[in-house]
Amino acid sequence: SVTKTEPAPSGDTGGTQAVAEYVYEGLVRVQDGAPVGVLAESFTVSEDGLDYIFHLRPGVTFHDGSALTADVVIANFNRWFDPKDANRGTGDFSAWAENFGGFKGEVDEAGKAKSIYDGIEKVDNLTVLIHLNKQDAGFLNKLSNPAFFIVSPSPFSGGYIGTGPYKVASSNETTVTLEPFTGYWDTSAIPSKGMEIPVK
């Protein structure tokens, strides 16, 4: 059976954002005003506030069957940050610039990097370290933005393949039909039925 949702408000991409929040997940989300782990099982922040270590949740798979790994997370961040990244595509990634100040290689009048984000590195297969070049107390909250949800590298050119509790069954210009993702990592949160979301 399928549940029909209310149409999205006109104007902004409310419908597509609703789809994103069912289909994709980020490293963290904000709950009761504080960041909590989602795809990151846990995270730690260095004393100087510049290094963020994310321990990824083991056993998470995308809707295409591929595994969540440090390499996948790095590929997503590189795509957002680096205009020359091979997976960049045609997006303008304005949410990245708005939240983090700029892209790789961009400097201000003083020659300092515009972006507070300095890079990401692999610690092990399920651990990544993100380095900032200046403190940002809101960094974790910013990562909860749907613009920074982690997607499978296979559809960087298009498609909806995330780790969320729903996966896309079909889509057209006006409606996206979602169905439960039976391989969802949180078995207690697997939906019992699908839904249709108007996107226009």
Side-chain angles (χ1 to χ4, degrees), residues 172-191:
N172 56 42
E173 291 182 357
T174 60
T175 307
V176 175
T177 301
L178 304 181
E179 64 184 23
F181 175 41
T182 56
Y184 186 53
W185 58 266
D186 184 354
T187 54
S188 67
I190 296 172

Side-chain angles (χ1 to χ4, degrees), residues 98-118:
E98 290 166 12
N99 283 276
F100 304 122
F103 299 106
K104 184 176 182 178
E106 293 182 346
V107 295
D108 62 17
E109 292 176 0
K112 293 184 177 179
K114 285 186 175 182
S115 179
I116 62 162
Y117 169 90
D118 192 43

